[in-house]
Amino acid sequence: MKALISTLSIFSMFALFSISLVTSNDSVDFDSFLRCLPTHSNSSIPIADAILTPDNSSFESIYQLRANNLRIFLSTTSRPAAIITALHPSHAQATVICAKRHGLQVRIRSGGHDFEGLSYTSDVPFVILDMFNLHSIDVDVASETAWVQSGATTGELYYRIAEKSNVHGFPSGVCTTLGIGGHFSGGGYGPLMRKYGLSIDNVIDAQLIDANGRILNRESMGEDVFWAIRGGGTTSFGIILSLRVKLVRVPPRVTVFTVPRTLEQGATDLVYRWQQVAPNLPKDLFIRIQPQPINNGRNNRTVRVLFIGHFLGQTDRLIQLMNTSFPELGLQQSDCLEMSWVESTIYWAEFPNGTTTDVLLDRVQVNRSFSKSKSDYYKAMIPKQGLETLWEALMDIEDIFVQMNPYGGRMEEISESETAFAHRGGNLFMALYGVTWSDSDGGINATARYVELSRRLYNAMAPYASNNPREAFLNYRDLDIGSNESDEADFEDAREYGKKYFRNNFMRLGGVKDKIDPENFFKNEQSIPPLPM
């Protein structure tokens, strides 16, 4: 959205706000920052049209529109000094140059799905660089590639690919409003991961704005930086403008299914068996499990496990495969739905049956909630006793969900050092634990209770998860595993969370940071600082 105001009016309406904030940080001069912006941006698309300040009527609505975790949004008292809704790459360049020159921190937001809100909050004076308007997608079927700007969403990418081809797709997340810039930089995974790996495994070039405001491509940034931005979290190294991705081949028809089983229907034995089977199935088949506590009538609590599958092929072949590899599930033809690959993205996003593909062009998450999430990697099977512990915890907590996503296949073939994303071979599956609640459950006042519930489940699963370190997934950001202050960069504190997110790649990431951003301009509470002297 454009703030249709002149540069001079920006200066005047921001003056009082500037004075009130500068007193808390003498090195920050907001007026000079604003005057700086037009001198470093493309004059044919005035940056004044992209600047929102707190006195602008659209400021709060734009801030809220892509602040998806209400737990963060409603608990923070900080607001950015300005939101730069970049309309041209030069607006992003100018934001970096001028913020660095005038002592402001920059937080970069694409889709607003950061689980801890680090893309739109800070405890020091900051501006948000909102990439949402930079969302062009150029699909070239002949070369089987696409250039995607960082403000585009996963849904838009799926839609634009399907416009050009019904036999191409891309491995990425099931949520269709994820911003490409953030989602890809932490890895990016979905139902195609066992066949084609992560999103970043299929990125072949990039445009990155560095701390000096330069736009670099793969060649000019160098292979070390290109390695780091694929899985290392781009916001430690610069700002992704666009990515060139390699499209993947999919059949004209794929098959999806959801099979529910309760504890009374043998879910414990099935999940135990799933751990043995799912990581070793052919690459074309991905089966997620999703245990949920439910009320089975007459206040009888139980757990229902959803087995949610995606097969790159048709139903007949899937049934044959399941009868051989996982007959215990009892998959029936009536459980299966055949559809195009792009239609399967709608299925996975849990839109109602019959929803058209146009829904993929809806770029803003509609149903926001309060949430707290955590993640785990499992390198050994959870014994049945451990599964019983999980079921008891779910029934005790109630307001929680769990997803378990199988590894194996292509994920097993890629070494942990090939990209910055290190969670590769040796993992059976990854788990997401999440609690969500609404205003009717107590809203912001219930935060402490629900956060504690998430920690209780996490602690209950500690004996069975990875250890030394207990690994975590960057895209499921969790400040509980370690953090720095907003404007600090203690390397030992960073090592605490960095080893969990990046394993043995953490030290190399620190070395790359030292080369591309030695002054540590790009930082947040879980960023990667330069290697200490």
Side-chain angles (χ1 to χ4, degrees):
M1 184 180 295
K2 297 182 180 180
L4 299 177
I5 46 180
S6 68
T7 304
L8 288 175
S9 66
I10 292 174
F11 297 155
S12 61
M13 75 181 183
F14 200 39
L16 292 176
F17 184 75
S18 300
I19 293 170
S20 68
L21 284 179
V22 169
T23 57
S24 64
N25 189 332
D26 292 337
S27 65
V28 175
D29 183 346
F30 293 103
D31 289 338
S32 295
F33 167 74
L34 291 171
R35 284 193 292 270
C36 174
L37 291 172
T39 66
H40 293 279
S41 61
N42 189 318
S43 60
S44 65
I45 305 176
I47 197 169
D49 292 347
I51 302 172
L52 296 173
T53 61
D55 287 342
N56 184 274
S57 60
S58 299
F59 176 88
E60 190 65 19
S61 63
I62 292 297
Y63 178 72
Q64 293 184 28
L65 189 64
R66 289 181 289 284
N68 289 313
N69 190 344
L70 297 180
R71 172 176 66 89
I72 307 300
F73 163 61
L74 291 179
S75 64
T76 182
T77 57
S78 65
R79 287 291 187 273
I83 302 173
I84 314 300
T85 58
L87 303 170
H88 186 271
S90 67
H91 297 169
Q93 293 176 276
T95 301
V96 170
I97 293 167
C98 298
K100 185 177 182 182
R101 181 173 299 173
H102 298 288
L104 280 162
Q105 194 173 92
V106 175
R107 294 295 169 106
I108 305 125
R109 183 168 72 174
S110 296
H113 285 269
D114 188 295
F115 278 13
E116 296 283 9
L118 301 192
S119 63
Y120 51 90
T121 61
S122 179
D123 291 332
V124 299
F126 75 108
V127 297
I128 291 175
L129 176 58
D130 195 317
M131 305 297 285
F132 196 68
N133 291 320
L134 299 178
H135 65 112
S136 71
I137 299 172
D138 182 13
V139 176
D140 181 10
V141 174
S143 65
E144 297 185 299
T145 63
W147 274 103
V148 189
Q149 286 191 311
S150 65
T153 63
T154 47
E156 287 180 293
L157 176 58
Y158 303 154
Y159 185 93
R160 298 305 175 197
I161 293 171
E163 272 188 324
K164 298 287 186 72
S165 170
N166 70 341
V167 292
H168 288 90
F170 192 77
S172 192
V174 301
C175 176
T176 59
T177 58
L178 298 171
I180 294 296
H183 181 59
F184 283 19
S185 69
Y189 81 93
L192 296 181
M193 66 184 289
R194 300 191 67 255
K195 178 72 171 181
Y196 292 114
L198 306 174
S199 302
I200 51 124
D201 297 325
N202 298 277
V203 171
I204 56 177
D205 203 348
Q207 288 187 315
L208 177 79
I209 299 176
D210 72 1
N212 295 314
R214 301 174 300 175
I215 296 178
L216 309 175
N217 62 15
R218 178 174 182 172
E219 181 179 4
S220 57
M221 74 177 74
E223 287 301 305
D224 276 350
V225 176
F226 186 65
W227 172 87
I229 64 175
R230 291 175 296 147
T234 308
T235 52
S236 291
F237 307 100
I239 298 166
I240 287 291
L241 273 179
S242 60
L243 297 161
R244 191 183 187 206
V245 301
K246 178 178 60 179
L247 305 183
V248 301
R249 295 287 183 94
V250 296
R253 306 292 286 175
V254 304
T255 305
V256 295
F257 63 85
T258 300
V259 176
R261 294 288 186 263
T262 64
L263 298 185
E264 294 75 17
Q265 295 171 318
T268 300
D269 289 339
L270 287 171
V271 171
Y272 185 80
R273 179 66 178 147
W274 171 88
Q275 295 178 92
Q276 298 171 316
V277 170
N280 296 300
L281 288 168
K283 296 178 185 179
D284 287 343
L285 180 55
F286 174 92
I287 305 175
R288 164 186 287 179
I289 61 170
Q290 193 165 299
Q292 301 170 315
I294 62 169
N295 191 316
N296 206 21
R298 300 181 181 179
N299 282 328
N300 293 323
R301 289 181 298 170
T302 188
V303 171
R304 177 180 62 197
V305 181
L306 302 180
F307 293 79
I308 311 171
H310 188 278
F311 179 61
L312 293 172
Q314 294 181 301
T315 303
D316 289 347
R317 190 158 67 91
L318 171 61
I319 295 293
Q320 291 175 3
L321 174 58
M322 290 293 286
N323 285 341
T324 301
S325 301
F326 197 8
E328 297 88 347
L329 186 61
L331 182 70
Q332 302 295 313
Q333 190 143 359
S334 58
D335 298 318
C336 302
L337 295 171
E338 287 188 11
M339 57 188 65
S340 66
W341 171 78
V342 73
E343 290 170 334
S344 77
T345 68
I346 297 171
Y347 179 90
W348 277 95
E350 299 183 350
F351 288 109
N353 288 339
T355 301
T356 69
T357 56
D358 288 344
V359 74
L360 297 174
L361 299 178
D362 294 343
R363 307 181 63 219
V364 176
Q365 182 171 318
V366 176
N367 298 316
R368 296 183 301 169
S369 62
F370 301 83
S371 65
K372 172 63 181 178
S373 299
K374 306 179 79 64
S375 62
D376 257 330
Y377 285 87
Y378 288 84
K379 300 177 185 299
M381 291 176 58
I382 304 173
K384 290 184 181 180
Q385 180 184 354
L387 293 176
E388 296 290 350
T389 298
L390 175 57
W391 310 150
E392 289 169 9
L394 289 175
M395 288 186 284
D396 179 45
I397 296 170
E398 293 186 342
D399 298 302
I400 197 161
F401 68 89
V402 176
Q403 291 177 351
M404 295 179 173
N405 299 282
Y407 264 48
R410 180 65 179 142
M411 293 297 292
E412 191 79 18
E413 297 169 352
I414 301 172
S415 76
E416 70 172 64
S417 61
E418 186 164 325
T419 67
F421 185 94
H423 311 287
R424 300 290 188 171
N427 289 294
L428 297 179
F429 56 93
M430 177 185 67
L432 165 67
Y433 322 115
V435 290
T436 60
W437 67 101
S438 63
D439 284 324
S440 63
D441 300 313
I444 194 64
N445 296 322
T447 294
R449 173 178 177 267
Y450 282 96
V451 169
E452 179 55 34
L453 291 177
S454 74
R455 292 170 179 165
R456 189 191 308 174
L457 176 58
Y458 185 70
N459 292 337
M461 299 310 293
Y464 315 107
S466 62
N467 58 73
N468 296 320
R470 188 173 182 179
E471 298 173 27
F473 179 37
L474 179 62
N475 278 2
Y476 293 156
R477 192 185 297 280
D478 178 11
L479 292 180
D480 287 349
I481 69 170
S483 66
N484 269 300
E485 299 297 324
S486 292
D487 201 34
E488 294 183 6
D490 183 89
F491 193 82
E492 290 309 310
D493 287 343
R495 190 197 300 268
E496 181 180 353
Y497 55 81
K499 294 292 283 185
K500 296 168 186 175
Y501 284 139
F502 309 114
R503 289 175 44 85
N504 296 327
N505 289 336
F506 172 68
M507 294 299 289
R508 181 178 173 186
L509 285 166
V512 175
K513 173 73 168 182
D514 199 38
K515 293 178 182 178
I516 190 72
D517 184 19
E519 297 177 7
N520 201 24
F521 173 71
F522 292 110
K523 57 179 170 288
N524 59 47
E525 289 79 354
Q526 283 193 337
S527 59
I528 299 165
L531 287 175
M533 298 294 290

